[in-house]
Structure formats: structure tokens, C-alpha cells
Amino acid sequence: MILDGKCPTGPIEKTWDKHRFDLKLVNPANKRKYSIIMVGTGLAGGAAAASLGELGYNVMAFCYQDSPRRAHSIAAQGGINAAKNYPNDGDSIYRLFYDTIKGGDFRAREADVWRLAQVSNNIIDQCVAQGVPFARDYAGYLDNRSFGGAQVSRTFFARGQTGQQLLLGAYSALSRQIKLGTVKMYNRREMLDLVVVDGVAKGITCRNLVTGELESYAADAVCLATGGYVNVFYLSTNAMGCSVTANWKAHKKGAFFANPCYTQIHPTCIPQAGDYQSKLTLMSESLRNDGRCWVPKKKEDCGKHPNEVAEEDRDYYLERKYPSFGNLAPRDIASRAAKEQCDDGRGVGPGGRGVYLDFSTSIKRVGADTIKERYGNLFEMYEKITDEDAYKRPMRMYPAPHYSMGGLWVDYNLMSNIPGLFVLGEANFSVHGANRLGASALMQGLADGYFVIPNTIAGYLATVKPTNGQTDNPEFKKSVEDVQSAQKKLLGINGKKTVSEFMRELGGLMWENCGMARSKESLETNLKKIPALREEFWKNVKVTGTGTEFNQDLENAGRTADFLEFAELMCRDALHRNESCGGHFRVEYQDEGEAQRDDANYCYVGAWEFKGDNKEPELHKEPLKFENVHLAVRSYK
Amino acid sequence: MTLNLIVWRQKGPNAPGKFETYTAKGITEHHSFLEMLDVVNEDLIKSGKEPIQFDHDCREGICGMCSQVINGMPHGGQERTTVCQLHMRKFKDGDTIYIEPWRATAFPLVRDLVVDREALDKIVQAGGYTSCHTGGVADGNAILIPKPAADEAMDAAECIGCGACVAGCPNSAAMLFTGAKVSQLAILPQGKAEAAERVTNMVNAMKDCGFGNCTNHYECQAACPKGINVKFIARMNREYLKSLF
Ligand SMILES: Cc1cc2nc3c(=O)[nH]c(=O)nc-3n(C[C@H](O)[C@H](O)[C@H](O)COP(=O)(O)OP(=O)(O)OC[C@H]3O[C@@H](n4cnc5c(N)ncnc54)[C@H](O)[C@@H]3O)c2cc1C
Ligand code: SF4
Ligand code: FES
């Protein structure tokens, strides 16, 4: 099947404005007759729930944490992009659009990316109005810094806590609507199924994580803003609760999963220290503004204290390989370059899996105080985890799974192929292509939430009759029964291995064989091992407690079960794409270490349709057209 | 190292609670406190017992979800550190460690170390925002904010809403939390228009939720993992007084 992204045509600069004008409206008096389910209250979901509530719709918002303010978005450190050109360094909407398309290795839709660049400026204004304390200069103007993949300073930031401040902005707008009664907030609820009635999304089944009760909710549209799935690698920079569950359950109900193999490996994370470790900690990419990456030129220097390695014996490999972008090369490139150095035996720290990120040159240039003001909390965090002082000794870094560019397939209106099911933020596949540039996920979440969905959802709602929250359709009951029986099964196995053991094993397979570098062979290995592991899981997992109580072991078991199914799809997608692009690096397709894309055969979005348990999914394609940015080899040299 | 843990176990809000003793074995100095508990939980699960339930998510010290009183101190008492960022190098082989949930009337217990902190959301819902609409706002640079003001607002905005200040306070007051939010918005020009109404509503919400009042013990500041300064409580009091005139 050839998928249609329903992108508006005509001059790219006019696409969003024209589309907005063409969309149907719901008149204000009718809005309150419609209800919308928003699963997730991160940047995308929080912003959307607040904005839709404000417009007059009845919104029900859900999150698995105890408060919407704790969504994973809160962890974003570095910043958010916008094409304001405040620093007068030549930025424009067009340039942001161009950088994003190129950065994504020509695997994103032009119209969607244009819209993102266009509304980026409104996002900053919106957040300032909410009281987000962005960094300012002494004259009182907003301050900017740079991020990987761009040669202009377009990143707005709030110390090293940009995501937190943006989320608190959205959360405060959401809180206002909760108080006004337009949004009803359901904390500690996990969506465990999508309810589809006659092919249309009409509701969800949730587990109340406190009581264990299964609850049905019905609405006229369901939005998923449930974040990303890189916890499939077990160790990642994501929060512990991040899962693929909501997306996967929707996928099993018919929603296409697009580009699952595109995952971002972030170049600057604190290297893993032991086997007990539960997560990896990211150090913001903005550090690469002032930190220089190097490894010793000679293998025998790797064990030395870094300050004892002479200047001429250091290999500043990014500056050497990519002179025009240097330390600000995009993430996929910087990650692979770091891995290359370590594979070459010149890595530092435990197991040789680390490179240095060195601030000494900048400290000499601008002083330790300035560096402290820019990144102080990151240095503190680094010290807590490693017990090392990065003002005195370079940080050690290694790439780690960080972000999912793939997600549920959506059209230009953010609607999936299931009518009434919308997908926002990291949960959809839309704007990053095969690689996300720094500081653009926050931008996407807020663009989708504040400025896209409030427009596009009206176009859909105007065509349907309000359901009045009725959950009496038999599909609701069936969905609850299905969830219940899956839980009963999990609780009844009473095997020998814990949920974490399975998750660690799966993560190991994924990192080894479907991580920073993949090959036909490694992926085929996984396609054999994952089903076997899944089978073992359903025979040998041990889940304690009961379903009718607060039970974190059961929560984890459910998420792991979904990862075990999803992982196979991810490998399948990686296997079918015989090319290297962005975060998808197939070792067979490279040219002197640089990724080799194959536009003749793979310039499309790959969207998978679920065909039943243990059946091969079907691939659908949405061809990508590049009319404004011409397909070219992506070079940062 | 091997550690002796004495952990509060309670099935639900109305169930009786008690301390249970567990041994944590094979812990290294690189384990975080929560990773140490993961190890204990794996052992419990394997021996068919129910694992210790505790809240956590980011494990980076920013989401505010983790909440444990360790040896009598919220977040374990290491300066500016959440439980998830507390590392076992701060403990010695053979140590006995007491682990309890946040305790405050406004934070009903859910299970074991998990409590319900929705009251903090209620305080924000009462007025912790600027009433701007999505879209239709001025250009970001149309409001000039001097750097010192932006920095001070940011100092206040760093609060992660964990509630350690409440747990540490002998009166279970939420004034550090509320003071931080009130101050952030009072310092910024965008927040000024509603300042009086905001502080009144938020202070009333604190009372309604069952939090106590500040009597200057400074325990909140000591417990706060983000170093939120008690000067923001003073600022809130000043804003509150101003709102009366
Ligand atoms: C450490 C770190 C640093 C980062 N730094 C940056 C940065 O500097 N700049 C940048 O642009 N991006 C950054 N990112 C990426 C960015 O933060 C995320 O991509 C983005 O915040 C995702 O937002 P979201 O709203 O789509 O999802 P999330 O914030 O993940 O929100 C997901 C929501 O869905 C809910 N949820 C999930 N599943 C369920 C379910 N089954 N049932 C109910 N609720 C559910 C959760 O409770 C949560 O509310 C960073 C990411 C990390 C991990
Ligand atoms: S003021 Fe400090 S202790 Fe209190 S909620 Fe905020 S961060 Fe936590
Ligand atoms: S788990 Fe997020 S602050 Fe500790």
C-alpha cells in the first residue's frame, strides 16, 4: 500500500497557513460537546491538553507518574531551537528547515519540517509569556547558544534544565485548565489498550496503578503523547518508566509503526560503570560548545591520567575529521566517531569505552566561573556519579541510546491511519527523519502540542458526532477482558527469572545487534533470539503480588512483554533497509566510515502493519519527495 | 559491601505498617541508592517475597519522583542530592540504614515508601501560573528581563516538587515549595499582574491541603535537593502582606 501523508502542496512557505485556512472548524458552542483523551502529559501532551482545554473541549489527561509535572521531558538539559535570528548570525525559518531536513538524512517530510521551523518562533514567545526563566543577557534580551548540526546560535536555554522549565510552563498552563475544569487529570494511570469501534479510535483501557482496577474511558478522539521507546536497549538515558506500551498496543489495534529502526545514540553520556547499572546519564550536547573531544593518539597513553598526556599526543578526532563543524558535528556522526576511536583501542576509562570531553581550553579562555554558570549543574551531576571533578580533569563520555525518531505513522494532521487516533511528540515518527538534531525534540513536542493539534484535531472532530463518554460498546468490555487475561497470565507463570533479568537480556541483544552499528547477520541473529527469549519469558518469568493492588513488578512485566514484541519489529525494519542513514548504520553500507545512503531504493517512510501474533508484519511505504532541499550526500566536513 | 536495611513496609493507607530487616549484599561504591534497592528487590522477588515499592523515574535528580527518608533525613541528607543521585560511596560496609516514606498528613501513604503528593499539584492549580492563552502573546524579546532577575527567577524555578521540604519540616509546611513558585512568578514582569491574587490563592490552598505553617526551623532548606533558599519563603510572606493592601 502506498501511504498518503496528506501534505499540502504549493510553495512550501505557504503550506501551513493555507492548510490551517482550509481545515474545518468546530464552533465554540459545539466544542464543549466533544471530549478528547490525551495520554501523556510531557511537553507534547501537557501543551496539547492545556491548549485544547482552553479552546473549550473536554479533555481527559493521563500519565503513569504521580503528577503530570514528572513526565520524562523534565530531564531535557540543553535547550530548544527556534529560528528567531536574535543573534543576527544569519538564521531564518528556511535555514532551520534546511538544517533539520539535512540533519535527518533526508528521511523526513518536507512539509512537516517546514511547519516545525515556522512555529518554532511562537514557542519561545509562548514560553516567555508563561514565565519560563530563559537565560538572558545583561541588557535583558534572550540569550542563545549552539547545538550539534548547526552553525548558527539558535538554541534557547534555562541553565542545564531547559526541559524542566518548559515542562513546568506547560504544566502550569495545564494546572490552570484543571482548576477551571476543562481538563480532568488522571495521575498514576497506565494506558494498556486502545479501544477501536468500527475502525475508529473511541477510547482507552487503563490500569489504575494505585488500586489495580482496570478502567474504561471513551472520547471522540484519542491522542497519544507517550514518548519514546529507547528503553528497549535496557540501558538508556530515558526515565525508568518510559515504554513502548501505549504505541505498541495501538499498533496491535491497527496503527502503523513507522521507521522503528531509527534510534538516536547520543554521543555525550557518562560511560557505564558496572553490570548493576539501571540507566545511563546524559550530559547535554551543549557541553560540546566549550568541551573538546579527544582520545590519546597512542594506545599506551590510554591508562594515563589525562592531564599527563602531552598536547601533541592527543587526537582531537572531531576537529580533525570534520573541520567545519568540529566538536559540533551532529549526534550520529559524533557517536560513531567516538565508537571508532574506542574500537581502535584508544578509548579511556573502564573497559576502554570512553572518550574525553575536555574543558581546559575554554576554562583558560573564559574562566572557570563562566563555565560554571553555563554548565554548573551538569558538572555537579557528573561528580555525583563518577566522583571526579570535571573542572580539573576532562569528563569521560560514551554514546548511549537516547531518543526514538521512529514512532506511530501519522499524516500531516498528526492523525494515524486509525481515524480518531492522533499521535504527538516523540511518540510519532514525523519530523526527525533518521537523525534528530540537538534541541529539536523539545521544539517538536511543543509545536505539536501548542500549535499543530489544536488546529488539526478540529478538522477531524467536525466530521464526527459526539459520543458523550459512553463506554457501553462491547469493544470496551472486550478490551478490559483482554488486558485482564494478559495480567492473569503474567501473574500465574511463577517461573524462575525476574522481569529485570529478561529486560537486561533483551537490552543486551538490542545494543549488540541492533545498536550503533548493525549488519544483516547481527539482525538475523536477533530475529532468531528474540522470539526464543519471548517464549521463555511467557514460560519462566516470575511476577510477584496480585493484579488488584499497587504492584510495580506487574507494571514492569507488562512493559517488558511489549518491548519483547516490539524489539523484533525494530530488527525487522533495520534488516529491510539496505542502506545507512542517520542513526541507522548498517556496516555493509559505508564508504570509508561514512554512511552510504541509498536514495534510489529507500527514500521512503517504512510503516509496518500488525498482522497477528507471531505473524510477519506487512510493510507499507510512503515515498518522500524533496522539492526544496535537494537530496545530497550529507557532509559535515 | 554488605548493608543492613531496616525498611518501612505497609500494604496500603489503612493497613498496619512495620519495619522489616533485609540484607543488601554485593553492593559497590558505584551503585546509586536506588540501584542498591534494585538488588535487594531482585533477591526478594527470587525468594517469592514482594519487593519494596518505591517511587522513582528519571534517576537523574530532576523529576522529583523519588522520595525516601534515609536515616531520618529526606533524600538521605547529602547536600543538594536526591535519593536517586545518592551513591553508595557515602556509606560503609556493615552500615545499618533506616528507610522510611515521606510522612505528612497532606501526603497519604500509598504503599511501602510511596506516598501521594497530589496536594502539591493542588497548590499550583490554585494559581501557580500566568493566565496567558496559547498563541497571541508578544514576541519573547518584547519583555526585557534584567539578567539578575532572570537568574533569581531561575533559582526559584529549580524546585523539582519532590516534597522533601515538607517531609523535613516539623510542621509539615509546604512553604518552601510554594514560596519558590510564588517568587519565580513575582520576580518576572509577566507574573506581576496576577501577583496578589496568586499568592492569596496559593496560600489558601496550602492551608486547605493540610500543610502546617513555617516556624523558621530551616529544615526545608537543609532537606531540599535543589538548594532552594528560604529567602523565597520570606518573599512569599512579603507578597502575601502586600496583597492585603
Ligand atoms: C536526558 C535527556 C536530555 C534531553 N535533552 C534534550 C534537549 O536538550 N533538547 C531537546 O530538544 N530534547 C532533549 N531531549 C529529548 C526530549 O526531552 C524528549 O524527546 C521529549 O521531551 C519527549 O516529549 P514527549 O512529550 O513526546 O514525551 P514524554 O515527556 O516522554 O512524555 C510521555 C508522557 O506519556 C506518559 N505515558 C507514557 N506511556 C504511558 C502509558 N502507557 N499510559 C499513560 N501514560 C503514559 C508519561 O506519563 C508522560 O506523561 C532529552 C531527552 C533526555 C532523556
Ligand atoms: S523546595 Fe526543594 S525540597 Fe521542596 S519540593 Fe522543591 S525541590 Fe523539593
Ligand atoms: S528519580 Fe527523578 S529525581 Fe530521583
Side-chain angles (χ1 to χ4, degrees):
Chain A
M1 180 160 87
I2 300 291
L3 281 168
D4 179 8
K6 301 205 181 71
C7 296
T9 49
I12 192 91
E13 305 78 18
K14 303 232 168 82
T15 40
W16 176 230
D17 299 334
K18 177 172 175 298
H19 187 74
R20 255 191 311 176
F21 183 77
D22 291 343
L23 278 165
K24 288 202 186 83
L25 298 174
V26 178
N27 98 41
N30 283 343
K31 286 202 180 100
R32 73 180 92 93
K33 295 183 189 149
Y34 287 100
S35 52
I36 298 170
I37 284 172
M38 185 65 56
V39 190
T41 53
L43 285 177
S51 304
L52 292 167
E54 198 180 283
L55 284 170
Y57 298 108
N58 290 302
V59 181
M60 290 172 262
F62 300 81
C63 71
Y64 68 73
Q65 294 93 342
D66 67 331
S67 161
R69 69 176 289 148
R70 307 205 202 283
H72 164 68
S73 297
I74 200 129
Q77 300 168 346
I80 177 166
N81 283 339
K84 286 279 199 185
N85 195 29
Y86 286 156
N88 189 31
D89 53 1
D91 203 5
S92 62
I93 293 175
Y94 193 89
R95 189 179 294 278
L96 177 52
F97 162 69
Y98 175 90
D99 286 348
T100 309
I101 290 282
K102 177 183 163 200
D105 225 347
F106 299 91
R107 292 292 176 265
R109 275 195 208 125
E110 280 196 339
D112 295 46
V113 175
W114 176 271
R115 173 172 68 189
L116 175 71
Q118 183 179 339
V119 304
S120 67
N121 290 339
N122 305 55
I123 295 173
I124 303 303
D125 302 339
Q126 183 64 31
C127 297
V128 168
Q130 287 168 346
V132 169
F134 282 124
R136 300 261 170 178
D137 62 21
Y138 279 96
Y141 292 102
L142 288 154
D143 205 359
N144 290 105
R145 63 184 173 202
S146 319
F147 253 64
Q151 285 170 312
V152 291
S153 284
R154 60 159 74 101
T155 307
F156 295 77
F157 63 102
R159 287 194 191 140
Q161 299 154 25
T162 316
Q164 180 198 26
Q165 294 311 317
L166 296 173
L167 183 64
L168 292 182
Y171 160 76
S172 65
L174 177 65
S175 298
R176 177 166 165 251
Q177 296 306 316
I178 294 172
K179 180 76 177 179
L180 291 170
T182 62
V183 178
K184 180 140 180 34
M185 185 67 219
Y186 297 88
N187 298 333
R188 292 204 198 262
R189 298 296 199 291
E190 185 167 23
M191 170 194 163
L192 293 178
D193 200 15
L194 177 74
V195 180
V196 178
V197 177
D198 300 328
V200 179
K202 285 293 175 200
I204 58 172
T205 302
C206 283
R207 178 165 191 268
N208 178 329
L209 300 181
V210 175
T211 62
E213 240 166 291
L214 297 180
E215 304 167 337
S216 297
Y217 298 92
D220 304 298
V222 177
C223 301
L224 301 185
T226 46
Y229 53 73
V230 289
N231 272 352
V232 71
F233 292 106
Y234 183 62
L235 284 183
S236 85
T237 63
N238 279 14
M240 303 302 287
C242 291
S243 72
V244 75
T245 290
N247 267 5
W248 189 249
K249 292 295 168 49
H251 175 63
K252 289 181 94 170
K253 285 290 175 83
F256 294 171
F257 214 117
N259 300 338
C261 78
Y262 293 164
T263 50
Q264 182 156 77
I265 311 292
H266 194 290
T268 50
C269 300
I270 303 180
Q272 187 181 350
D275 293 333
Y276 55 82
Q277 214 159 314
S278 58
K279 81 162 287 164
L280 296 172
T281 304
L282 175 115
M283 290 281 112
S284 167
E285 180 178 26
S286 62
L287 291 171
R288 290 198 276 145
N289 269 305
D290 286 299
R292 301 174 68 197
C293 298
W294 64 273
V295 289
K297 279 186 185 155
K298 295 183 267 182
K299 290 180 186 166
E300 54 276 22
D301 283 352
C302 292
K304 279 191 188 161
H305 189 290
N307 298 350
E308 282 163 18
V309 179
E311 189 59 30
E312 63 274 15
D313 292 332
R314 300 176 176 190
D315 178 9
Y316 294 92
Y317 57 91
L318 284 176
E319 296 167 39
R320 168 172 60 81
K321 292 179 64 160
Y322 307 98
S324 65
F325 281 71
N327 291 296
L328 287 174
R331 293 180 175 176
D332 56 331
I333 290 180
S335 295
R336 267 197 302 279
K339 181 171 186 282
E340 236 174 69
Q341 312 311 311
C342 298
D343 290 351
D344 189 33
R346 292 179 299 126
V348 298
R353 273 179 309 183
V355 297
Y356 287 124
L357 186 62
D358 192 340
F359 293 87
S360 56
T361 314
S362 299
I363 290 179
K364 266 195 216 111
R365 192 176 36 147
V366 297
D369 285 348
T370 307
I371 295 297
K372 186 165 190 174
E373 186 174 1
R374 286 185 190 153
Y375 317 106
N377 69 314
L378 299 174
F379 279 58
E380 266 177 40
M381 201 156 155
Y382 183 79
E383 180 163 11
K384 269 180 201 140
I385 294 171
T386 62
D387 214 17
E388 287 174 13
D389 179 357
Y391 294 101
K392 301 211 173 101
R393 173 191 180 128
M395 289 183 175
R396 285 174 297 109
M397 295 283 129
Y398 197 69
H402 176 59
Y403 184 86
S404 35
M405 276 84 68
L408 293 186
W409 183 87
V410 289
D411 64 14
Y412 187 71
N413 293 320
L414 301 184
M415 188 157 89
S416 71
N417 59 304
I418 301 180
L421 178 69
F422 293 80
V423 193
L424 285 62
E426 194 174 337
N428 73 28
F429 87 103
S430 75
V431 291
H432 304 302
N435 173 51
R436 172 173 78 75
L437 291 184
S440 59
L442 300 180
M443 177 169 67
Q444 186 215 350
L446 290 179
D448 286 1
Y450 285 131
F451 300 110
V452 179
I453 195 76
N455 289 290
T456 58
I457 208 166
Y460 170 75
L461 290 175
T463 66
V464 297
K465 284 213 182 70
T467 49
N468 303 318
Q470 300 294 325
T471 55
D472 43 11
N473 188 290
E475 286 298 330
F476 281 93
K477 199 164 156 235
K478 179 166 182 304
S479 166
V480 169
E481 284 166 3
D482 289 348
V483 172
Q484 210 154 32
S485 73
Q487 275 181 5
K488 268 213 186 103
K489 204 168 152 198
L490 281 172
L491 289 162
I493 299 167
N494 204 11
K496 297 234 155 47
K497 265 161 80 172
T498 65
V499 175
S500 310
E501 284 174 311
F502 280 102
M503 201 54 227
R504 264 199 291 269
E505 212 166 309
L506 176 68
L509 286 176
M510 292 307 280
W511 178 244
E512 239 4 89
N513 298 326
C514 191
M516 244 197 295
R518 303 124 186 219
S519 66
K520 179 167 184 284
E521 232 179 8
S522 72
L523 292 165
E524 280 171 349
T525 307
N526 264 13
L527 288 176
K528 283 200 202 82
K529 289 194 170 168
I530 296 168
L533 187 63
R534 192 165 59 228
E535 208 181 301
E536 192 200 341
F537 175 86
W538 286 103
K539 282 200 187 113
N540 196 27
V541 74
K542 183 173 188 86
V543 186
T544 55
T546 69
T548 51
E549 62 183 337
F550 187 88
N551 185 346
Q552 292 172 323
D553 201 21
L554 179 61
E555 291 170 31
N556 291 337
R559 292 170 195 156
T560 300
D562 293 333
F563 274 132
L564 279 164
E565 293 180 8
F566 166 73
E568 191 178 329
L569 184 72
M570 199 168 141
C571 294
R572 206 178 277 280
D573 187 46
L575 179 62
H576 106 278
R577 199 169 272 280
N578 293 314
E579 64 165 351
S580 291
C581 63
H584 169 60
F585 191 75
R586 281 278 297 272
V587 295
E588 304 97 314
Y589 306 99
Q590 55 178 314
D591 183 13
E592 289 173 16
E594 303 296 324
Q596 225 173 19
R597 224 175 52 217
D598 177 357
D599 292 328
N601 294 305
Y602 294 97
C603 193
Y604 58 73
V605 175
W608 297 89
E609 180 181 357
F610 182 77
K611 287 285 186 185
D613 287 321
N614 296 316
K615 291 214 181 85
E616 282 211 14
E618 186 183 342
L619 177 65
H620 302 282
K621 296 178 184 171
E622 180 196 338
L624 291 166
K625 286 197 265 332
F626 293 90
E627 288 165 351
N628 296 278
V629 185
H630 293 293
L631 279 164
V633 176
R634 190 168 150 245
S635 166
Y636 290 89
K637 298 203 159 152
Chain B
M1 19 180 173
T2 301
L3 302 141
N4 187 29
L5 307 183
I6 301 180
V7 186
W8 186 259
R9 301 299 305 258
Q10 187 172 343
K11 274 234 164 201
N14 303 318
K18 66 169 190 296
F19 283 107
E20 295 270 2
T21 307
Y22 306 103
T23 313
K25 283 186 238 119
I27 306 300
T28 74
E29 57 170 20
H30 296 295
H31 277 80
S32 72
F33 198 84
L34 300 188
E35 283 163 355
M36 181 274 292
L37 285 181
D38 289 343
V39 171
V40 174
N41 274 347
E42 288 281 291
D43 285 349
L44 288 175
I45 293 170
K46 288 209 156 161
S47 59
K49 297 197 188 104
E50 292 196 7
I52 304 159
Q53 316 269 324
F54 59 89
D55 263 335
H56 64 108
D57 202 19
C58 73
R59 295 205 174 184
E60 287 193 7
I62 189 75
C63 73
M65 189 101 175
C66 57
S67 51
Q68 296 174 20
V69 175
I70 298 166
N71 291 336
M73 286 171 293
H75 289 305
Q78 191 192 342
E79 207 184 336
R80 301 193 59 158
T81 308
T82 53
V83 182
C84 60
Q85 288 289 290
L86 184 66
H87 278 74
M88 295 312 289
R89 64 178 73 94
K90 304 290 169 194
F91 296 87
K92 289 191 310 293
D93 188 34
D95 274 358
T96 294
I97 308 175
Y98 285 82
I99 310 175
E100 295 168 78
W102 278 183
R103 293 190 197 274
T105 316
F107 293 163
L109 189 131
V110 175
R111 184 166 186 180
D112 295 345
L113 305 174
V114 178
V115 299
D116 177 359
R117 286 166 286 184
E118 223 182 323
L120 298 181
D121 287 332
K122 292 248 155 65
I123 295 174
V124 174
Q125 286 158 16
Y129 41 74
T130 66
S131 300
C132 64
H133 292 276
T134 300
V137 295
D139 181 85
N141 263 347
I143 315 169
L144 290 184
I145 302 173
K147 184 167 162 43
D151 284 349
E152 205 189 359
M154 185 62 216
D155 288 343
E158 285 199 25
C159 164
I160 57 173
C162 62
C165 46
V166 177
C169 174
N171 307 324
S172 295
M175 290 183 91
L176 195 62
F177 169 81
T178 314
K181 197 75 207 171
V182 165
S183 301
Q184 179 201 338
L185 295 175
I187 292 164
L188 296 171
Q190 310 78 307
K192 288 243 156 72
E194 298 170 284
E197 199 187 337
R198 172 180 312 114
V199 71
T200 319
N201 291 343
M202 290 181 81
V203 166
N204 287 340
M206 274 194 309
K207 280 190 227 144
D208 294 346
C209 288
F211 292 105
N213 267 318
C214 175
T215 46
N216 293 322
H217 288 267
Y218 289 22
E219 290 291 344
C220 53
Q221 182 176 299
C224 176
K226 293 293 140 178
I228 306 291
N229 197 294
V230 286
K231 75 178 178 192
F232 294 123
I233 297 184
R235 174 146 204 152
M236 174 172 72
N237 289 336
R238 213 154 62 232
E239 290 291 326
Y240 188 74
L241 278 176
K242 266 200 312 200
S243 76
L244 300 175
F245 298 98

